[in-house]
Amino acid sequence: MSLTPPLVDEVSQPFWDGCLAGELRMQACGSCGRLRFPPRPMCPWCRSVSVEWPVMSGLGTVWSVAVPHPPLLPAYAEVAPYNVVVVELAEDPTLRLVGNVVATPNGPLNEVDPHSIAIGDRVRVVFADPDPPDGVSMPRWVRAG
C-alpha cells in the first residue's frame, strides 16, 4: 500500500490511468492547447472545458530537493532519511511534480542518498508496480544518464 495514497477523482482519473499504463499524461486544454497540472475541470487561461491528455516524454529536471527532518507523517519514519524532489517537465518548465528520486522503479524511497541529488539533475519518470489495495502507481524519478 502507498504510504499516502492519492486522492483520485473524475478530473484526475486520466492522469492515474496513464500512470498505471506506464505513461506520464498531462492535462491539456482542448481549445488553447496549454498544459496544466494539477488537473482542473476548466482551463485557467481560456476557460474552456475541453480537455485532452497527451503523453509527455517523461524527462525533467530537479527544480528543488529536500530531506524532511523529522518525517512529519509517522508512516515515513521507517524510511527516513529520504529525498523529496520537485521536477519540472521538459515539455513545459511550469509543470512541476513532487516525487522521489529512486534507483529502481520498485525500490524504497531511501535507496538513493538524498544528499547526492542536486538542483539541475536530469531525471526521467518511472512507475512502480501498483500497490493493492489502492491500485495506483505513483510517478517516481530515476537519474537520466
Side-chain angles (χ1 to χ4, degrees):
M1 175 167 38
S2 300
L3 292 176
T4 53
L7 175 62
V8 178
D9 59 18
E10 68 180 54
V11 174
S12 66
Q13 186 68 54
F15 173 81
W16 297 112
D17 290 345
C19 292
L20 283 172
E23 299 175 338
L24 184 60
R25 299 177 189 165
M26 288 288 117
Q27 190 182 54
C29 178
S31 295
C32 72
R34 292 195 57 180
L35 296 167
R36 60 184 184 253
F37 189 83
R40 299 172 205 128
M42 179 184 289
C43 177
W45 295 281
C46 75
R47 297 184 218 182
S48 171
V49 294
S50 177
V51 174
E52 298 173 351
W53 287 91
V55 176
M56 302 291 106
S57 68
L59 298 174
T61 304
V62 174
W63 184 80
S64 174
V65 61
V67 182
H69 293 285
L72 299 178
L73 298 172
Y76 286 86
E78 291 181 20
V79 295
Y82 56 91
N83 66 81
V84 177
V85 295
V86 177
V87 173
E88 63 182 26
L89 297 186
E91 286 81 2
D92 183 341
T94 65
L95 292 179
R96 297 183 180 135
L97 282 79
V98 176
N100 308 96
V101 174
V102 292
T104 58
N106 290 306
L109 296 182
N110 59 2
E111 73 178 335
V112 171
D113 176 1
H115 302 290
S116 71
I117 302 164
I119 292 170
D121 285 354
R122 301 280 298 147
V123 293
R124 69 176 170 80
V125 73
V126 293
F127 301 94
D129 294 336
D131 285 327
D134 306 324
V136 297
S137 182
M138 301 285 285
R140 308 171 100 199
W141 305 92
V142 295
R143 290 186 164 109

